[in-house]
């Protein structure tokens, strides 16, 4: 039997690993926590946690040691490192707000480097390279210094000469750009010893986690839509043309000739973690919490006006962020379950608002292909379908980035002719959650009222 394939994705709160056979059979799935989204100070995140997380992940493998590895990860995140690959500062994470944007620039990464140059001069002058999230770990495994950009069309969103000149940053700090499915190198003796891998195991380029998730849900054709929900959430629809929109982000797809138009919810998972901490339910299983919340639905149907609503602070740009918020309509009769209902309804309404915006610009959305940590909760999937008003299609492997990584690797070795064929051959789905007409009608009415009130409360929050 051929050695298994290891696909790894570095998320904001956890590192996911999937071990697959050459035929695409799932041999093992792993998840290693690397941060607590409810309590983490993301301004002081130590990137060496990813090294420890990867070492722990490999130590828990119950299969034979993989000979081929593909890595993907979150972003836009930068890690400044010295000549030995050691961090000179904390990770500049995608969600920490540390950036200095130059008007007219496209790069999603260089604003962070410019901020670092401007405010952390001592560490900046010790920095030899800026590495993105998965490439930090690739450097530890292979010794190679690279950055994976999906395509030439995507390069300006990382960096190229024009963007570097615009930001007045030296090119030698930024590694050369390579493409997904590239064989980057082999695990060095040092890397093998540090992480418990075979020397000379081959390491392949994956790509940004959201694009791997699109492959891992077969969201590779016009009109298909993926709702990728973990610590953050993004609703991506495939379009045949570039669409400019002030509240949506359009980027090139990994599939040539396609684009992804997306609405971002940067805090949906963090919002629920905040609620767990607020109500002292940190140790309670998600399913039990959702059972309690879902059990309220018959009463919501009978007396909808008696239930509170939660209004998080909402950015009106291309993101939706939770930094402050207010509960409206709280009474002495309300407890944890009613507060939880208000929070999950608010998250669902945020998703619905993005779907509404996408449809307003001409993207017909019939089904949401869901992935990420939130997709593991069947009760939430069922309730979300009713709140959003769209069917939810759930893949067999919920951490779809892992199957996306497998699609990349199996394209690299010639098993499939391209990423689209690989994704549509490897991805399978387990369940379809369809909205129940009475509940969909209930939440449609509540959503319209919620929208009317939302603007007033956002203004009140300042």
């Amino acid at each position: 039997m051929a050695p298994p394939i290891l696909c790894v994705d570095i998320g904001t709160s956890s590192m996911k690993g999937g071990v697959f056979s050459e035929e695409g059979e799932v041999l093992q799935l792993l998840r290693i926590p690397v941060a607590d989204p409810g309590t983490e100070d993301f301004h002081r995140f130590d990137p060496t946690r990813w090294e420890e997380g990867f070492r722990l992940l490999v130590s828990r493998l119950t299969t034979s040691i993989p000979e081929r590895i593909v890595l993907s990860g979150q972003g836009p995140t930068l890690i400044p490192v010295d000549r030995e690959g050691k961090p000179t500062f904390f990770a500049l994470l995608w969600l920490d707000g540390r950036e200095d944007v130059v008007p007219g620039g496209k790069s999603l990464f260089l604003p962070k480097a410019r901020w670092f140059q401007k405010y952390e001069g001592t560490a900046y002058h010790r920095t030899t390279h800026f590495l993105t999230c998965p490439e930090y770990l690739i450097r530890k495994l292979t010794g190679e210094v690279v950055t994976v950009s999906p395509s030439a069309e995507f390069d300006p969103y990382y960096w190229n000469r024009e963007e570097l000149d615009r930001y007045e940053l030296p090119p030698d700090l930024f590694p050369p750009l390579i493409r997904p499915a590239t064989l980057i190198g082999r695990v060095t003796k040092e890397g093998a010893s540090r992480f418990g891998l075979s020397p000379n195991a081959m390491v392949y380029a994956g790509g940004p986690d959201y694009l791997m998730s699109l492959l891992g849900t077969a969201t590779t054709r016009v009109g298909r839509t993926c709702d990728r929900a973990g610590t953050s959430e993004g609703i991506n629809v495939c379009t045949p043309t570039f669409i400019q929109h002030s509240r949506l982000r359009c980027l090139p797809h990994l599939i040539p000739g396609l684009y992804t138009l997306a609405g971002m919810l940067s805090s949906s998972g963090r919002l629920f973690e905040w609620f767990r901490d607020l109500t002292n339910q940190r140790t309670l299983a998600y399913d039990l919490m959702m059972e309690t919340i879902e059990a309220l639905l018959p009463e919501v149907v009978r007396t909808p006006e008696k239930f509170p609503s939660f209004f998080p602070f909402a950015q009106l740009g291309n993101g939706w962020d939770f930094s402050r918020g207010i509960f409206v309509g709280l009474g002495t009769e309300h407890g944890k379950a009613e507060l939880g209902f208000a929070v999950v309804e608010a998250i669902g309404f945020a998703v619905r608002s993005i779907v509404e915006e996408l449809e307003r610009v001409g993207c017909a959305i019939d089904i949401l292909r869901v992935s990420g940590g939130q997709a593991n909760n069947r009760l939430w999937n069922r309730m979300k379908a009713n709140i959003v008003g769209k069917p939810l299609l759930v893949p067999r492997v919920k951490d779809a980035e892992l199957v996306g990584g497998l699609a990349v690797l199996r394209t690299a070795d010639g098993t499939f002719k391209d990423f689209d064929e690989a994704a549509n051959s490897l991805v399978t789905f387990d369940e379809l959650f369809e909205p129940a007409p009475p509940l969909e009608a209930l939440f449609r009415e509540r959503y319209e009222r919620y929208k009317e009130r939302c603007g007033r409360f956002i203004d009140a929050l300042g």
Side-chain angles (χ1 to χ4, degrees):
M1 179 182 291
I5 297 165
L6 175 62
C7 301
V8 174
D9 180 72
I10 306 171
T12 304
S13 59
S14 63
M15 179 179 293
K16 289 85 71 176
V19 186
F20 301 89
S21 70
E22 286 202 331
E23 295 70 34
E25 177 188 358
V26 179
L27 303 177
Q28 189 178 3
L29 296 173
L30 305 102
R31 180 181 285 262
I32 306 296
V34 294
D36 184 338
T39 61
E40 191 72 42
D41 180 359
F42 284 110
H43 287 82
R44 300 181 63 82
F45 184 88
D46 183 352
T48 62
R49 286 202 222 169
W50 295 326
E51 299 176 51
E52 178 57 25
F54 185 69
R55 187 199 63 76
L56 186 58
L57 186 149
V58 173
S59 74
R60 293 183 179 177
L61 295 179
T62 57
T63 65
S64 57
I65 298 299
E67 295 290 342
R68 289 178 290 174
I69 303 167
V70 61
L71 293 105
S72 61
Q74 40 94 347
T77 289
L78 283 180
I79 303 94
V81 300
D82 62 17
R83 294 186 186 280
E84 285 71 47
K86 296 179 180 178
T88 61
F89 194 68
F90 302 108
L92 304 171
L93 296 172
W94 65 270
L95 77 173
D96 63 24
R98 290 180 290 193
E99 56 183 29
D100 186 7
V101 177
V102 173
K106 287 185 176 181
S107 176
L108 305 174
F109 292 84
L110 297 185
K112 289 189 168 295
R114 182 179 170 91
W115 178 94
F116 184 62
Q117 179 192 51
K118 187 174 182 178
Y119 294 105
E120 298 293 342
T122 300
Y124 174 82
H125 288 297
R126 291 190 290 111
T127 297
T128 304
H129 289 108
F130 286 101
L131 301 179
T132 58
C133 170
E135 288 82 348
Y136 172 81
L137 197 52
I138 287 169
R139 165 73 171 78
K140 299 296 180 181
L141 289 169
T142 67
E144 299 292 334
V145 178
V146 297
T147 295
V148 183
S149 169
S151 66
E153 190 176 11
F154 213 110
D155 287 353
Y157 298 99
Y158 279 80
W159 46 77
N160 59 13
R161 173 64 70 173
E162 182 180 348
E163 288 294 305
L164 288 166
D165 288 347
R166 187 188 305 274
Y167 275 86
E168 300 180 326
L169 291 166
D172 59 347
L173 292 180
F174 299 89
L177 301 176
I178 63 172
R179 305 300 176 217
T182 300
L183 173 58
I184 296 172
R186 294 178 180 268
V187 175
T188 63
K189 289 182 179 179
E190 180 185 358
S193 174
R194 178 184 297 182
F195 297 110
L197 292 166
S198 298
N200 294 319
M202 294 180 285
V203 179
Y204 289 83
D209 54 0
Y210 85 94
L211 283 176
M212 294 300 100
S213 186
L214 297 187
L215 290 186
T217 54
T219 307
T220 57
R221 297 177 185 176
V222 173
R224 291 184 182 177
T225 307
C226 176
D227 176 6
R228 178 177 172 273
T231 302
S232 62
E233 189 162 358
I235 295 86
N236 290 263
V237 59
C238 295
T239 71
T241 57
F242 184 88
I243 298 174
Q244 186 70 43
H245 192 284
S246 62
R247 296 188 60 193
L248 303 170
R249 174 178 288 172
C250 195
L251 293 171
H253 200 300
L254 200 55
I255 306 301
L258 293 186
Y259 296 85
T260 64
L261 185 63
M264 306 302 298
L265 310 177
S266 64
S267 304
S268 63
R270 290 172 66 198
L271 175 56
F272 195 75
E273 292 302 315
W274 164 81
F275 162 71
R276 293 181 79 195
D277 287 333
L278 178 70
T279 55
N280 195 30
Q281 298 184 85
R282 169 61 59 178
T283 59
L284 190 64
Y286 286 100
D287 283 351
L288 293 177
M289 294 178 65
M290 286 306 302
E291 280 181 12
T292 304
I293 292 168
E294 191 182 47
L296 294 173
L297 284 176
E299 190 177 348
V300 177
V301 171
R302 289 193 301 270
T303 56
E305 72 282 354
K306 293 186 178 180
F307 279 78
S309 295
F310 179 71
F311 295 89
F313 176 81
Q315 294 180 344
L316 296 181
N318 61 8
W320 179 93
D321 188 30
F322 168 67
S323 56
R324 288 176 293 165
I326 52 176
F327 286 98
V328 176
L330 281 179
T332 56
E333 71 278 16
H334 296 141
K336 295 178 182 178
E338 288 80 7
L339 292 176
F341 174 83
V343 168
V344 299
E345 184 181 54
I347 294 171
F349 283 164
V351 175
R352 185 166 185 144
S353 71
I354 288 179
V355 170
E356 189 177 71
E357 197 71 37
L358 290 167
E359 292 185 324
R360 190 175 292 121
V361 298
C363 299
I365 298 175
D366 298 323
I367 291 176
L368 295 176
R369 297 164 180 242
V370 299
S371 71
Q374 294 184 37
N376 286 291
N377 193 309
R378 295 185 73 254
L379 297 180
W380 173 225
N381 289 335
R382 186 164 63 202
M383 191 168 179
K384 191 176 193 179
N386 290 318
I387 298 173
V388 178
K390 298 290 183 182
L392 268 57
L393 187 60
V394 184
R396 179 167 55 101
V397 178
K398 313 304 186 286
D399 291 316
E401 302 91 343
L402 305 177
V403 178
L406 180 64
V408 165
L409 195 148
R410 299 303 273 154
T411 303
D413 67 16
T415 301
F416 301 104
K417 67 178 181 180
D418 55 31
F419 297 139
D420 176 61
E421 181 185 58
N424 285 280
S425 299
L426 293 170
V427 175
T428 57
F429 294 92
D430 272 351
E431 289 187 277
L432 177 67
F433 293 87
E434 299 204 56
L439 292 176
E440 193 280 327
L442 167 73
F443 284 113
R444 187 185 336 119
E445 183 178 337
R446 287 179 66 84
Y447 174 66
E448 292 302 324
R449 184 162 183 263
Y450 186 91
K451 281 197 301 182
E452 291 175 5
R453 303 165 72 196
C454 193
R456 299 199 304 270
F457 291 126
I458 290 172
D459 290 341
L461 286 169

